[in-house]
Amino acid sequence: MDPRALPERGPFALRARVLTPLTAGGTRHEPDGLVVVDAAGRLAFVGPADARPDEAATALDLRPWAVLPGMVDLHAHLPQVPNAGLGFSLDLLTWLDRLTFPTERAWADPTVAERLAPSIFEAFAAAGTTTVLAYGVVFEAAMDAAFRAAEEHGIRAILGKVMMDRGTYDPVIAPATILDRSLRESAGLIDRWHGAADGRLGYAVTPRFAISCTAEMLRESADLARSTGAWWQSHVSEDPLEVEAVGLLFPDAIDYVDVYDRAGALGERTILAHAIHVSARELARLIESGTRVAHCPASNLFLGAGIMPLTRWLDWGLSVGLGTDVAGGPDLSVFSVMRVGAYAQMARRSVAGDKGAVLDPLGWLRLATLDGARALGLDGTIGSLETGKEADLIAIDPDFAAALPGTTDEDPADLVSRLVFRAHPDMVRGAWVRGRRLAGPGRR
């Protein structure tokens, strides 16, 4: 099948192998399945092809390709995408100073964002990501350009202007005006973009992390998110040196999570990246408040930050999805993140003596799709292929991940295992959001 022959927008019907987690639990697997997308970009039918023989006969037959829900990336950094794969062996704080901040500073010229953002969103789609929650830069004009690119591309994107008032890489702004200006510019971006494209675009108020923000910045940013219905995102307990620095900067706080708690920032609209080194008290408070966590195992190993005890946190009841954390993570593919995460959990078991369970392939698929959507409060809309949801889906050619050409894995867990542990950069052949095909997949 030539990817150029794939439908551009609904209505259309695809006949393929269908694999998806289900909201009520479990997994649906249709070896010969049918996915029908209506003109409004919703899933009108998902099930066996023989249940609708007339539609199946006229559907675009993709077999042996598989159709899955689009991946949900809960943590990425737009301006860092060109740096993917760079900075190995640097600790987090050194990596920020030497590599990341200089790259983000270049976006002071909004034409850089205008030039790069369209390709960045195409790269996400090519990796199978249909929803991305991402940090931008401190510059308002660059964020407008990034939102315009996301609007044009069609990806589902929640973006935020980075906020920093305890030191910033903006060479122009006066220190005395940082807080007021950052709040004002963030509010303006919310007015223009939160809920734009009929709700496909959203805004996340984005204080970078506690080290770069005063208590006032954290408190005011949380108030802004709450008053506007936006999300709130930051980092927590990624690296031991970071945790130590936060303790020195906020001596009155009990711990790192308490810094955000005192600011009124915890809650169901908050996504915190990493949470590797949280204490039992911190974990309990995250769960009690309904705060969500973006697990970024590839980044955590690339920067030597540590390994989250994922299944232990899940057993406690923490809401977790997956993030690439590019460019801390070296790859835009959530499939690659699943692979590194699985290796990391096995390493905890075999090297660190962690006797906790490890996720099976179908568990990783759920974490990468429906659980990510649930973390954003969007699981009623996306995250799985179920009738009535919006048609955010991807088409994958499993032959790219096969051990030998033309071989087929009949078991759904085996199929996902191949896609995770033998992920290939070209295996995603098509991606759609609300039934509209995204540029990026199948371009090579």
Side-chain angles (χ1 to χ4, degrees), residues 295-380:
H295 176 38
C296 309
S299 167
N300 299 156
L301 291 185
F302 190 82
L303 295 175
I307 302 176
M308 175 199 278
L310 173 64
T311 52
R312 192 187 314 164
W313 286 182
L314 292 173
D315 288 344
W316 277 45
L318 186 65
S319 175
V320 179
L322 293 179
T324 59
D325 195 19
V326 168
D331 196 333
L332 281 172
S333 171
V334 175
F335 289 97
S336 295
V337 170
M338 288 188 260
R339 178 177 66 247
V340 175
Y343 287 152
Q345 295 309 302
M346 290 301 288
R348 283 191 63 90
R349 172 188 278 187
S350 60
V351 178
D354 189 335
K355 302 304 181 184
V358 295
L359 290 182
D360 64 12
L362 296 179
W364 281 105
L365 178 63
R366 175 175 290 270
L367 203 68
T369 54
L370 189 56
D371 285 351
R374 183 173 291 117
L376 294 170
L378 297 177
D379 50 307

Side-chain angles (χ1 to χ4, degrees), residues 3 17 45 50 61-62 73 89 128 144 208 220 223 245 254 275 303 321 360 407 427-429 439:
R17 188 173 183 177
F45 176 80
D50 60 12
D61 195 341
L62 301 182
D73 188 342
S89 81
D144 271 320
R208 188 175 210 110
E220 293 286 351
D223 288 346
I254 301 171
L303 295 175
D360 64 12
T407 57
M427 68 186 191
V428 177
R429 310 307 284 163

